[in-house]
Amino acid sequence: MSNTNSSFWLQREGNRPELLCGNSAGYTIVSGHFIMLVCSTIVLGGFLRTFLKNSEVTVLIILSVLGFVIGQLAHNSVQVYQIVYPLLRTPSFALYCYFSPIIIFMAALDVDFCILKNVFWQVLLTGLISFVVAFIIIGYVVLKFNRDLWDLQSSLLFSMILGMTDPVHSVNSLKTIGISKMYTDIIRGESMIICGFTSICFGIFRSNFLHVSMFTELHVILGLCLDLLGSIICGYSCARIIQFILTDLFSNTLTSVILCISMVYMTFYIVELLGMSGMIALVAVGLNLDSLSFKPRIEIIITKFLKMFSTVYQQLIYTFFGIIIGCGETKYLGFHTVVFIFILFTTVNFVRLLTIVLVSPILMHANYEYNWKWGIVIAWSGIKGVFSLLLAPDIHNLAEQKVESPQLFILYVQVISLMTMGINSYMMTHSARTLGLCAISLPRQMAMQNAIKHIQEIIQNTITLFKTEKILTNVNWTLVEEKTKIEYNIPSDACHVSHDNKKEEESPTEEVLIEEARLHVAIIQMSSFEKQCNDGILSVEAARILIGATKSYCPIQGKFMSIYDVSTYVRARSWLMKFKNMLAFLEYHKDKASLILYGNNKFLLFVYHIAFSEEFEYAGHVITVMYIYPMIMHLWPIVRELNVSALISVNNYFVFLFIFRSALKIVILKRKYFHQYWNTLDFLIVLLGIIDIFCIYFVKLRPDNFVLIQITVILGYFRIIRFIPFIKIIIPLLINIVDVQIKKRLRLMYSITKGYVKSQEDTKFLIKQISSRESIYQKLYEILETNKRDAVKELGLIEHEGRDVVIALKTRQAIRSVIAKALKNLTFLWSRGIIDKHEGIEMNKVFLAKIKALNNFPMAIPPPTPDKYLHNIVWLENKDVLIEFFKERAKLAYFDYGDVICREGEMPQGIYLIISGMAILHSSPPTFGIDSSLKSDRVSQTMFTEYCTSGDIIGELSCLLKREIEYTAICETILQACFISLEDLYEGFDVFWPSLEYKIWLKLALGIACQYFESSLTDEDLNFQKCVAFNLAYVETLSSYNEMTIDNVTMKFVIIVYGSVIDTQTEVPYLAPCILPKTCEQVQGTSDLSKLLVVQASKPAKNTDDSKVMGKR
């Protein structure tokens, strides 16, 4: 192809290129106004799109007709011809290179590669079948019914072009009516495969156009394979470069957009210059980029730029080719032309229908939702577009026999393209609506209604809050409520239900509701993964794997993705561990004998120092290296015959040195010599070397003995094993490499698992909006809780396997979170004018530099010593007095796998701070100190399971209350813990009264509040240290029959974290855990001990430790 493209890359003087219209200029051109024509076309297209918003095909038809009129004027007027001549002078391949890169890149970027990957083989087969069917049938129809006497090659090229499906317009109409993205990606993936394959075929025709004799089957097959593989490799490499550019923290948006578009064109041109397919390369680029490949919000900007360029390019293409058609002779246009157009249109749609019939079994196997209804819709998706039009002029250029009316190739393609855009697009949307494929199912309608209801509640709460502000007292709140009321009516076509399914849709079964909820859960999880990635909590690789796994398992009916599914998707890491164990087994270890055994024997001491010195080992390796050259000579027959005596001498010398080295070690180690596998190998090399020497000697004595000669030759080839000891030098390096890979895999798996746990927590807070039915809510909650529990278990196992890796990852994430918080505060100060623009930019660069420096953060950090773990107990506040007090009394406790740390119903012995390992907690539903008479209606037999890992504390609440433990803790791995006895804990309470006990209660209260009411407390910064330092939240204590007044002005939230209370006015009981409603003004304790967490409405002055509120006792 590189030879063919020379007209584009270099136009030689004296050569007159073939014009797009197939004719040559007959006079010298003068300066015209072609640029004005281009700008006018763009402006006119913009106005037409403004007035005809919902009819893009109408805009293209008007521009095509206008182009035809301009072409006719140019045909009859020299002045107009001079204006359009720069267009007619442009080589066809150059026009293809100008316009196609951006359009194909935009189409590929819009495809979800994770979805396409799951059905890749089905889509590939669909594309190939579609290409072959169109090639045969359309080619036959053209040869049979066309009166323009096209040759065979022209007819086949024309059939290829009409067989192409436009990847942009084929799905545009489906996207507007809410069709599943899976089907739009299947259609678009098939069309890109056809376009890529056609571009390769045209490239082969171009490259062999001047050398027809070389046009063989082998040449075609090799060309296809090289084009395909080379283009994909180039595209993948370019995608990585673009991703590196777009994710750079210091790049600005404008630079990123310019570089992205420039790289797209550069990739296309370089790949085409190398003789491969630029279209396939850009498809590979687009598929390898996703939303995670861009910085936040840059994807939207780049997509808008691409859409703008794509729209402008399409308007110019249809106008330009309209001009080209108009510049031709109209005498070739007649009634037969119109008839042939309708024959082609009918043939194109018949080919598409036949293709769908043939590939339906494949698509049914790929997706359980596919049926005959989808087949009908996809059958209308054979829309032709700009790619067919851009390749149409090449039919004449590549034809064996030139025709008198080359503009007819373009006319047929352009008219068929516009007809399919209008008719097929309408039929697709009409069929989808008629068959109910865009109808919103009843479960989805219910989910939408729940979401609308939730939004309406938020609006109502906002109005209620605004009513309390004095500045808004004279507002007409009735009008506000009327104007802000949301009434969302689902479109009638979206509610369409077929008669057969009407009864089923009126009362959906629980399975149907669960399935609909499952799809919502998957969407929420993917949104959570992407948000975590943007916030820096999750790495891009981990987020991409989690999103890919979710999309992979989403089509499986009834399948909720678990952490074990993700592990399977990532692939097991066991082979790395096995490989490392094998390397560790083969690693060379020196077996040194004790010097005492030799006493005063100077000879043995001398041999000992020689045999176990580093120099002795290196000397052996040097000898082996020196023997490489003689070994090469020995394996080369001609050289061996010329140097027989020299090679025998070198071999004897080498064997002697090996014997000497082994003898020294045997003298020192004796029987222990054979305990090391490498020593055994050395001894085997010595034996074979001695046998080899004797065989050579016997051959000299008996040169006519053929058997002896054969044995000697074979033993000569066995000398190659003398180089095997070289491996023991490489093994330590391989072990280090494998260690790094294992740590990377552990870090990735921990990051994936942590992100999965966070997504489960995020989803649990939204399942009320997914389904309002209680049974569905309970099932979803149980599934999510089970999956979260399994993931937490995996976290513990990963942490036990690589503590140093996990500590490094947690430290890195903590640094990232702190910097992100600082950036958020910087943005706030910047927006309020406290920091000016220049200072804000400079400070922002400092923070971004720190984030970028985290890329070089150590992969592993050694775990702290056991006494350092006391600093991790938050209620000790890292104070030396408290830490030293408990360090003197704390003890280390060790537990084996399966050991019971504490049992349910036993009295607590103390608290356990887990240093390493993991424990599982089994318990009945927590009582929260509620009297049994009050919780009779809440009794549940469900057993609760929770996992505790490094840094968690077991037994805090039971020790505070001096009550029986409510769970059984069992070791899942070998566990090490720091134990503080109950007596020592209460001694600390007495010494540091009252702050220490209060801080433990505050820590427990904050934990319970965040666990059960995180969605309500998202705007609150309930950090323990801040709550202690600034009194943002505090704990109140109520005994039985004690009362507490609630001030809704100063108290934003009052949460019962332990015990129960009753509203003194309405006598409504509230049981822990529960947020008291705003209507509650005074409560009374109904349990022996009740604890309430009060979140302040505003930040009061900083308190000292001695002035902490202890509540009402």
Side-chain angles (χ1 to χ4, degrees):
M1 285 174 63
S2 57
N3 296 331
T4 308
N5 300 346
S6 59
S7 62
F8 173 65
W9 302 106
L10 178 65
Q11 185 174 330
R12 299 176 183 175
E13 187 178 353
N15 285 348
R16 181 173 290 172
E18 290 182 324
L19 307 183
L20 283 168
C21 60
N23 300 317
S24 300
Y27 55 88
T28 306
I29 189 66
V30 296
S31 178
H33 303 281
F34 181 69
I35 298 299
M36 186 180 68
L37 174 65
V38 173
C39 295
S40 302
T41 303
I42 296 172
V43 171
L44 178 61
F47 279 116
L48 290 174
R49 284 181 63 87
T50 303
F51 291 110
L52 304 170
K53 294 180 180 179
N54 298 323
S55 183
E56 185 176 357
V57 64
T58 307
V59 175
L60 296 179
I61 291 173
I62 293 173
L63 291 175
S64 299
V65 172
L66 179 63
F68 180 79
V69 172
I70 295 173
Q72 282 291 294
L73 291 174
H75 183 71
N76 299 303
S77 171
V78 174
Q79 290 77 13
V80 180
Y81 194 84
Q82 290 178 348
I83 295 175
V84 301
Y85 181 73
L87 169 65
L88 304 179
R89 183 177 176 272
T90 305
S92 58
F93 185 71
L95 203 66
Y96 171 78
C97 293
Y98 295 155
F99 292 127
S100 61
I102 285 291
I103 301 174
I104 192 64
F105 175 69
M106 186 194 72
L109 189 64
D110 195 41
V111 174
D112 194 326
F113 185 56
C114 293
I115 294 176
L116 192 63
K117 187 167 58 176
N118 296 331
V119 291
F120 174 74
W121 292 111
Q122 290 86 347
V123 173
L124 179 62
L125 288 174
T126 303
L128 293 178
I129 292 172
S130 178
F131 178 84
V132 172
V133 171
F135 181 75
I136 295 172
I137 296 179
I138 298 177
Y140 173 78
V141 170
V142 171
L143 289 171
K144 186 75 174 175
F145 296 97
N146 185 27
R147 292 184 182 177
D148 295 316
L149 301 177
W150 295 349
D151 64 331
L152 178 62
Q153 186 162 310
S154 299
S155 301
L156 294 180
L157 291 174
F158 185 79
S159 67
M160 283 186 193
I161 287 176
L162 275 190
M164 294 173 68
T165 304
D166 189 84
V168 178
H169 290 285
S170 59
V171 297
N172 275 354
S173 57
L174 293 179
K175 289 167 67 176
T176 59
I177 58 176
I179 293 295
S180 171
K181 185 167 174 58
M182 175 177 290
Y183 291 103
T184 60
D185 284 350
I186 287 175
I187 295 171
R188 186 167 276 174
E190 176 209 353
S191 63
M192 287 192 298
I193 288 171
I194 298 173
C195 289
F197 198 74
T198 305
S199 70
I200 291 176
C201 292
F202 268 77
I204 293 172
F205 271 98
R206 292 192 195 103
S207 60
N208 291 275
F209 179 63
L210 299 176
H211 306 282
V212 181
S213 60
M214 296 172 58
F215 196 65
T216 61
E217 293 81 355
L218 180 62
H219 184 83
V220 172
I221 294 172
L222 288 176
L224 283 172
C225 295
L226 291 175
D227 278 3
L228 189 63
L229 293 175
S231 303
I232 291 173
I233 292 171
C234 291
Y236 179 81
S237 304
C238 177
R240 299 281 74 81
I241 295 172
I242 292 176
Q243 185 175 345
F244 175 77
I245 293 171
L246 297 181
T247 53
D248 184 19
L249 295 172
F250 291 98
S251 64
N252 60 56
T253 304
L254 181 61
T255 305
S256 298
V257 173
I258 293 172
L259 285 174
C260 178
I261 296 175
S262 302
M263 282 297 298
V264 168
Y265 273 103
M266 185 64 69
T267 303
F268 183 87
Y269 294 152
I270 290 174
V271 172
E272 288 287 344
L273 184 60
L274 294 174
M276 295 177 288
S277 173
M279 184 173 288
I280 291 182
L282 291 184
V283 168
V285 173
L287 291 179
N288 279 283
L289 296 176
D290 53 23
S291 59
L292 301 177
S293 304
F294 305 89
K295 287 194 298 183
R297 295 180 297 276
I298 272 195
E299 183 191 12
I300 299 172
I301 298 172
I302 289 179
T303 304
K304 286 183 177 180
F305 266 95
L306 292 176
K307 286 182 178 178
M308 178 186 71
F309 279 116
S310 176
T311 303
V312 170
Y313 284 176
Q314 289 185 58
Q315 293 171 3
L316 290 175
I317 288 168
Y318 279 87
T319 306
F320 287 170
F321 282 98
I323 292 172
I324 293 165
I325 296 169
C327 287
E329 294 286 345
T330 56
K331 65 180 181 179
Y332 298 105
L333 305 179
F335 178 74
H336 174 72
T337 305
V338 178
V339 173
F340 188 59
I341 287 173
F342 280 102
I343 292 173
L344 285 176
F345 177 74
T346 307
T347 305
V348 164
N349 286 292
F350 172 75
V351 166
R352 187 64 180 168
L353 179 62
L354 180 60
T355 301
I356 297 303
V357 171
L358 293 175
V359 301
S360 285
I362 300 173
L363 295 177
M364 285 180 179
H365 178 73
N367 187 8
Y368 68 90
E369 291 182 352
Y370 182 84
N371 52 34
W372 63 272
K373 296 180 181 180
W374 285 111
I376 292 175
V377 173
I378 297 175
W380 286 107
S381 65
I383 299 173
K384 315 306 169 187
V386 292
F387 296 108
S388 300
L389 207 51
L390 287 169
L391 289 175
D394 276 339
I395 301 175
H396 175 72
N397 297 336
L398 299 175
E400 293 179 346
Q401 299 177 3
K402 303 297 183 181
V403 296
E404 295 180 357
S405 54
Q407 73 274 12
L408 288 180
F409 294 118
I410 301 172
L411 173 66
Y412 291 139
V413 173
Q414 185 158 356
V415 174
I416 295 296
S417 170
L418 293 172
M419 289 178 69
T420 53
M421 277 187 197
I423 299 172
N424 289 30
S425 296
Y426 171 78
M427 290 303 299
M428 263 202 302
T429 54
H430 180 72
S431 301
R433 290 192 175 102
T434 305
L435 298 173
L437 296 179
C438 57
I440 301 175
S441 63
L442 188 57
R444 284 181 63 190
Q445 294 179 33
M446 293 167 63
M448 290 169 64
Q449 294 296 339
N450 289 335
I452 294 167
K453 183 180 177 183
H454 179 66
I455 295 171
Q456 192 65 53
E457 289 175 357
I458 294 174
I459 292 173
Q460 194 60 44
N461 292 338
T462 305
I463 292 173
T464 304
L465 183 63
F466 283 168
K467 284 181 179 179
T468 60
E469 297 185 13
K470 294 180 180 180
I471 197 172
L472 300 175
T473 51
N474 57 348
V475 172
N476 187 341
W477 292 109
T478 304
L479 185 61
V480 172
E481 291 176 354
E482 180 183 344
K483 295 296 182 181
T484 56
K485 187 177 181 181
I486 298 176
E487 294 181 355
Y488 178 76
N489 296 320
I490 299 171
S492 57
D493 59 337
C495 294
H496 173 78
V497 180
S498 63
H499 181 73
D500 297 335
N501 297 331
K502 187 175 181 181
K503 186 176 180 180
E504 181 184 349
E505 290 288 336
E506 286 177 354
S507 56
T509 61
E510 196 165 277
E511 289 77 11
V512 174
L513 293 174
I514 282 285
E515 179 62 17
E516 193 67 38
R518 183 185 69 85
L519 298 177
H520 279 281
V521 167
I523 294 170
I524 293 170
Q525 286 179 335
M526 287 188 285
S527 176
S528 174
F529 299 144
E530 192 162 346
K531 184 178 183 301
Q532 291 179 61
C533 181
N534 292 334
D535 292 342
I537 300 173
L538 204 59
S539 66
V540 173
E541 185 181 3
R544 188 172 282 119
I545 288 171
L546 284 166
I547 292 173
T550 305
K551 291 177 179 177
S552 177
Y553 289 102
C554 196
I556 303 175
Q557 194 167 10
K559 176 68 176 176
F560 285 85
M561 185 184 70
S562 67
I563 191 61
Y564 304 115
D565 297 324
V566 182
S567 301
T568 304
Y569 180 82
V570 177
R571 294 182 303 274
R573 61 182 182 276
S574 58
W575 73 271
L576 281 173
M577 296 300 297
K578 291 177 181 177
F579 185 55
K580 182 186 175 183
N581 293 336
M582 184 186 72
L583 290 175
F585 176 76
L586 294 175
E587 190 175 11
Y588 178 66
H589 302 284
K590 291 182 181 179
D591 292 329
K592 290 189 177 182
S594 176
L595 280 170
I596 302 173
L597 298 174
Y598 310 118
N600 296 324
N601 191 325
K602 293 183 179 180
F603 174 74
L604 291 178
L605 290 173
F606 177 72
V607 171
Y608 177 87
H609 287 297
I610 291 177
F612 293 103
S613 65
E614 293 291 333
E615 293 81 0
F616 187 75
E617 288 294 327
Y618 291 140
H621 297 319
V622 169
I623 293 169
T624 307
V625 171
M626 291 172 61
Y627 190 69
I628 292 175
Y629 183 67
M631 189 67 200
I632 294 173
M633 294 176 66
H634 176 77
L635 296 175
W636 197 340
I638 298 174
V639 179
R640 182 174 66 234
E641 290 177 3
L642 298 174
N643 301 276
V644 173
S645 59
L647 290 174
I648 291 174
S649 301
V650 171
N651 180 59
N652 295 340
Y653 175 73
F654 180 84
V655 173
F656 170 74
L657 291 177
F658 247 88
I659 293 172
F660 177 72
R661 187 175 67 172
S662 299
L664 290 179
K665 289 186 177 181
I666 292 172
V667 167
I668 298 300
L669 296 175
K670 297 180 175 62
R671 292 181 180 178
K672 287 181 67 179
Y673 176 81
F674 296 99
H675 292 175
Q676 178 66 255
Y677 294 103
W678 290 108
N679 291 339
T680 306
L681 178 63
D682 288 345
F683 190 75
L684 178 63
I685 291 172
V686 169
L687 288 179
L688 289 175
I690 293 171
I691 295 171
D692 188 20
I693 290 173
F694 277 106
C695 285
I696 293 172
Y697 177 74
F698 291 136
V699 167
K700 287 182 178 180
L701 296 177
R702 301 287 301 273
D704 56 342
N705 193 321
F706 181 74
V707 175
L708 188 59
I709 293 173
Q710 289 295 102
I711 293 173
T712 306
V713 171
I714 293 171
L715 285 174
Y717 286 110
F718 269 103
R719 294 177 191 175
I720 200 74
I721 68 172
R722 297 174 183 179
F723 300 103
I724 294 179
F726 257 140
I727 298 175
K728 63 184 177 185
I729 304 175
I730 307 172
I731 285 177
L733 179 62
L734 290 176
I735 289 176
N736 291 334
I737 294 172
V738 171
D739 268 334
V740 171
Q741 294 304 316
I742 289 174
K743 287 177 180 178
K744 284 184 178 179
R745 183 63 61 179
L746 281 174
R747 185 172 65 175
L748 177 63
M749 281 307 302
Y750 190 87
S751 182
I752 287 171
T753 311
K754 194 76 177 288
Y756 179 83
V757 171
K758 183 68 170 66
S759 75
Q760 297 298 106
E761 293 172 351
D762 293 342
T763 307
K764 281 199 299 185
F765 298 124
L766 297 173
I767 54 178
K768 274 290 186 184
Q769 278 74 49
I770 294 176
S771 179
S772 58
R773 189 177 293 187
E774 187 63 27
S775 60
I776 303 298
Y777 170 79
Q778 286 297 333
K779 281 191 176 182
L780 287 177
Y781 189 88
E782 290 172 7
I783 291 170
L784 294 173
E785 190 63 32
T786 302
N787 288 342
K788 178 189 171 183
R789 200 162 53 238
D790 293 340
V792 172
K793 179 182 177 181
E794 283 294 304
L795 280 178
L797 294 174
I798 295 171
E799 187 167 352
H800 178 70
E801 187 177 347
R803 286 181 63 200
D804 53 347
V805 177
V806 173
I807 289 171
L809 182 61
K810 285 182 175 180
T811 307
R812 185 182 184 279
Q813 289 178 344
I815 296 170
R816 182 72 173 80
S817 300
V818 171
I819 296 175
K821 187 74 175 178
L823 275 170
K824 189 176 180 181
N825 292 332
L826 174 63
T827 304
F828 175 79
L829 296 174
W830 192 350
S831 64
R832 294 298 185 272
I834 300 173
I835 297 177
D836 63 23
K837 183 177 180 180
H838 176 72
E839 292 173 346
I841 291 173
E842 293 302 318
M843 292 180 68
N844 189 63
K845 287 181 179 178
V846 172
F847 287 127
L848 292 180
K850 289 186 176 295
I851 292 175
K852 196 169 184 178
L854 291 176
N855 295 331
N856 301 320
F857 196 78
M859 194 175 297
I861 296 177
T865 55
D867 59 305
K868 296 293 183 182
Y869 270 89
L870 290 174
H871 294 266
N872 296 337
I873 302 179
V874 292
W875 39 266
L876 293 181
E877 296 184 272
N878 210 17
K879 292 184 176 179
D880 294 337
V881 178
L882 290 168
I883 291 172
E884 288 299 325
F885 178 84
F886 285 107
K887 187 188 292 186
E888 295 173 359
R889 293 160 176 78
K891 300 176 183 177
L892 284 177
Y894 298 92
F895 299 92
D896 203 349
Y897 170 76
D899 288 352
V900 177
I901 301 174
C902 56
R903 295 185 184 276
E904 186 175 359
E906 293 181 351
M907 291 300 295
Q909 302 298 315
I911 63 172
Y912 295 88
L913 169 63
I914 299 178
I915 296 174
S916 64
M918 183 175 66
I920 184 172
L921 308 183
H922 296 289
S923 69
S924 303
T927 61
F928 293 104
I930 303 169
D931 189 80
S932 57
S933 60
L934 298 174
K935 62 176 182 177
S936 57
D937 59 332
R938 293 172 40 149
V939 173
S940 172
Q941 300 300 321
T942 306
M943 291 295 293
F944 280 71
T945 304
E946 188 178 351
Y947 292 92
C948 295
T949 58
S950 177
D952 292 332
I953 299 177
I954 298 175
E956 280 178 307
L957 184 60
S958 301
C959 288
L960 280 175
L961 299 170
K962 287 189 176 179
R963 294 183 182 177
E964 295 85 356
I965 300 172
E966 295 186 349
Y967 48 78
T968 300
I970 303 173
C971 295
E972 283 284 296
T973 63
I974 297 174
L975 185 140
Q976 184 182 12
C978 181
F979 174 71
I980 301 175
S981 67
L982 188 65
E983 293 76 13
D984 294 334
L985 184 64
Y986 271 84
E987 184 183 349
F989 289 170
D990 294 335
V991 174
F992 303 103
W993 177 264
S995 62
L996 185 58
E997 184 181 2
Y998 167 77
K999 288 171 185 173
I1000 298 177
W1001 270 115
L1002 178 61
K1003 179 253 184 184
L1004 291 171
L1006 290 172
I1008 293 171
C1010 291
Q1011 180 181 355
Y1012 288 92
F1013 309 109
E1014 184 177 353
S1015 58
S1016 301
L1017 303 173
T1018 50
D1019 297 330
E1020 307 299 324
D1021 189 9
L1022 297 181
N1023 178 273
F1024 177 84
Q1025 284 80 9
K1026 287 188 177 181
C1027 290
V1028 171
F1030 303 106
N1031 206 24
L1032 301 178
Y1034 60 89
V1035 177
E1036 286 282 4
T1037 305
L1038 284 181
S1039 301
S1040 183
Y1041 301 111
N1042 280 9
E1043 295 181 352
M1044 170 185 167
T1045 302
I1046 298 174
D1047 186 359
N1048 287 320
V1049 177
T1050 60
M1051 300 178 181
K1052 191 171 184 179
F1053 294 103
V1054 180
I1055 305 170
I1056 309 171
V1057 294
Y1058 189 81
S1060 58
V1061 298
I1062 189 173
D1063 190 336
T1064 55
Q1065 293 182 354
T1066 61
E1067 296 186 355
V1068 175
Y1070 297 101
L1071 312 179
C1074 173
I1075 298 180
L1076 294 179
K1078 295 292 184 181
T1079 56
C1080 189
E1081 297 180 354
Q1082 190 177 50
V1083 294
Q1084 183 184 72
T1086 55
S1087 297
D1088 294 338
L1089 179 68
S1090 298
K1091 293 285 184 177
L1092 290 84
L1093 178 68
V1094 179
V1095 180
Q1096 300 273 43
S1098 59
K1099 297 182 181 179
K1102 182 177 177 181
N1103 290 354
T1104 61
D1105 289 342
D1106 297 333
S1107 63
K1108 290 286 183 290
V1109 178
M1110 294 304 298
K1112 299 181 180 180
R1113 300 265 176 182

